[in-house]
Amino acid sequence: MTESERLFARAQAVLPGGVNSPVRAFGAVGGTPPFIQRGEGSKIYDVDGKQYIDYVCSWGPLLFGHCPQEVLEAVRKKMENGLSFGAPSRVEVEMAEMMVSMLPGMEMVRMVNSGTEAVMSALRLARGVTGRDKIVKFAGCYHGHSDSLLVRAGSGVLTDSLPDSMGVSKAAAADTLTAEYNQLSSVESLFEQHGAEIAAIVVEPVAANMGVIPPQEGFLQGLRAICDRYGALLVFDEVITGFRLAPGGAQEYYGIQADIAAFGKIIGGGMPVGAYAARRDFMKQVAPSGGIYQAGTLSGNPVAMAAGLAQLSMIQDRGDRLYQMLTGYAEKMAEGLEQSARENGISVTVNREGSLFSVFFHDGPVQNERQAKESDTQRFKHYFHGMLSRGIYLAPSQFEAVFVSAAHTQKDLEKTLAAADEVMRELAGLQALQQK
């Protein structure tokens, strides 16, 4: 028995499913998850001493890979002065100033502790500002695990084939309306029925929790126009896209102004963090300035703020060169995977936007939740374990993104594509046997 297997057995006795977040349990792909001991650059190392090229990158925050010295040094210095105060500190102000300077149209920001908190608070702000109750979300988009948003959600909910969650009351979900991603007509229909009651549309600008599904041309612009027509607010969930697509996130990348935006992941540099931002007159309605209440004991935690500030500073220092490199990496990977699958007669669709991409074992386009769910998850399972056995660590679900980082190298990419070609040949062999 490996050390990871021993730890997983112990974990299952004291943690639900042996994990603290469902997808980590390998439920969709089977097997025992490797327990990770340390990370460095583009690599992670498990408790059994195995090395992997990491394309999970803590589910997106590690834009510069594991343990970049600038972030580690900022955290060390801040920790020497204390871990948490429950009182204001200088670094909170510096972090907020930097975010506001980078994000188009966002004039004030409130720090929270996770992406779930950020989106939940953003929607409370939208309801408070508009005086309306209903929210429109999209099937397959994941916005955290708050009750009202676990309706046809993505990520682990989609991975485990759960339409929503037990324990969510009908009342909590009653004001959540669901449309189809990339289908403006479904949004128009909801507004025709409920327009005067809808406070906001919340959307992942690039859907990245049912696999990566980019917005079709005109989709985000259409959402902006519908919100303007009906007096609703457009809320961008940029927990994944924020500071990954561009220094100003999806708003800069697509040239579309959201009314409220939620952030997480990259702004913590690997530490737990979240934030939501909007124009000044909206944010001044948040307590203690206004009557929309939101609070958090660890919000603006100085260690998390120091890590995030260091990472955003690195983004500013590298500028366009960073995003050109990351996009180039993802493009090379996507093209190589498509070529390997094609040469081996395996049906795949590789969706990519900027440095985000995913591989669907699907014959045809994947533009919404329905098409994503048509993917061959058994083939993905074989692909995942084939890659893992060759030292490539991918998200253990068909419905998650691949994250590249500035720490990845051309050698990493070449090794990954070589491994993928071997696995595609294995899949071709299995396919031939099944066809006999």
Side-chain angles (χ1 to χ4, degrees), residues 54-77:
D54 181 20
Y55 292 102
V56 175
C57 291
S58 191
W59 303 92
L62 306 182
L63 197 66
F64 297 94
H66 294 274
C67 300
Q69 287 305 306
E70 296 92 332
V71 174
L72 290 186
E73 185 59 28
V75 167
R76 287 191 193 101
K77 289 179 66 176

Side-chain angles (χ1 to χ4, degrees), residues 2 33 36 49 62 77 104 123 157 226 237 243 249 263 276 314 354 377 407 410:
T2 67
I36 306 306
L62 306 182
K77 289 179 66 176
L123 294 184
V157 181
I226 291 170
D237 178 348
F243 304 97
F263 301 92
Y276 60 104
M314 293 168 71
T377 54
Q410 292 294 336

Side-chain angles (χ1 to χ4, degrees), residues 134-413:
K134 294 189 183 298
I135 300 295
V136 173
K137 73 173 291 289
F138 295 91
C141 284
Y142 180 71
H143 304 291
H145 60 86
S146 60
D147 283 2
S148 65
L149 293 172
L150 282 178
V151 179
R152 292 188 69 185
S155 191
V157 181
L158 184 57
T159 298
D160 294 333
S161 300
L162 300 174
D164 44 28
S165 172
M166 294 173 62
V168 175
S169 70
K170 292 179 180 178
D175 286 325
T176 303
L177 308 173
T178 306
E180 297 299 322
Y181 191 80
N182 274 330
Q183 190 179 102
L184 282 174
S185 61
S186 69
V187 184
E188 290 276 11
S189 179
L190 291 175
F191 272 85
E192 286 169 4
Q193 298 175 61
H194 306 284
E197 304 170 83
I198 296 173
I201 297 172
V202 59
V203 64
E204 293 180 84
V206 177
N209 286 285
M210 47 179 159
V212 172
I213 300 182
Q216 291 182 288
E217 187 173 351
F219 177 64
L220 296 177
Q221 292 87 339
L223 298 183
R224 178 71 273 173
I226 291 170
C227 285
D228 292 342
R229 193 184 324 144
Y230 285 91
L233 303 183
L234 180 59
V235 178
F236 272 7
D237 178 348
E238 293 226 49
V239 171
I240 287 178
T241 58
F243 304 97
R244 176 165 282 277
L245 291 181
Q251 294 179 86
E252 176 185 340
Y253 188 82
Y254 293 111
I256 297 172
Q257 183 65 59
D259 296 298
I260 308 171
F263 301 92
K265 298 190 185 294
I266 284 174
I267 66 168
M271 299 290 289
V273 75
Y276 60 104
R279 68 192 206 206
R280 190 175 308 278
D281 60 324
F282 286 1
M283 294 300 288
K284 278 188 168 290
Q285 297 184 54
V286 176
S289 300
I292 300 171
Y293 193 76
Q294 180 271 312
T297 298
L298 295 176
S299 295
N301 174 270
V303 180
M305 294 293 96
L309 187 63
Q311 180 143 274
L312 293 189
S313 296
M314 293 168 71
I315 290 172
Q316 285 192 323
D317 289 344
R318 297 205 188 184
D320 291 342
R321 290 180 293 113
L322 170 65
Y323 294 95
Q324 289 166 0
M325 179 178 69
L326 293 174
T327 298
Y329 283 176
E331 188 173 30
K332 178 174 180 175
M333 290 274 284
E335 290 176 353
L337 289 165
E338 285 178 329
Q339 180 180 343
S340 178
R342 184 170 58 250
E343 290 175 350
N344 286 285
I346 303 298
S347 296
V348 301
T349 296
V350 182
N351 280 357
R352 183 186 66 81
E353 190 77 335
S355 66
L356 293 166
F357 74 94
S358 62
V359 180
F360 296 93
F361 286 88
H362 184 275
D363 186 11
V366 180
Q367 299 172 342
N368 53 41
E369 181 202 40
R370 177 184 59 79
Q371 292 170 338
K373 290 169 73 173
E374 291 171 352
S375 298
D376 189 334
T377 54
Q378 288 304 305
R379 276 192 174 174
F380 178 85
K381 179 178 178 179
H382 186 100
Y383 171 72
F384 170 82
H385 280 289
M387 296 295 277
L388 188 68
S389 69
R390 291 166 172 82
I392 312 300
Y393 190 74
L394 304 171
S397 168
Q398 170 71 84
F399 306 111
E400 302 288 353
V402 175
F403 296 100
V404 294
S405 78
H408 285 98
T409 65
Q410 292 294 336
K411 186 176 179 180
D412 290 333
L413 305 187

Side-chain angles (χ1 to χ4, degrees), residues 12-28:
Q12 290 176 84
V14 290
L15 298 169
V19 293
N20 283 307
S21 191
V23 178
R24 300 178 194 174
F26 277 35

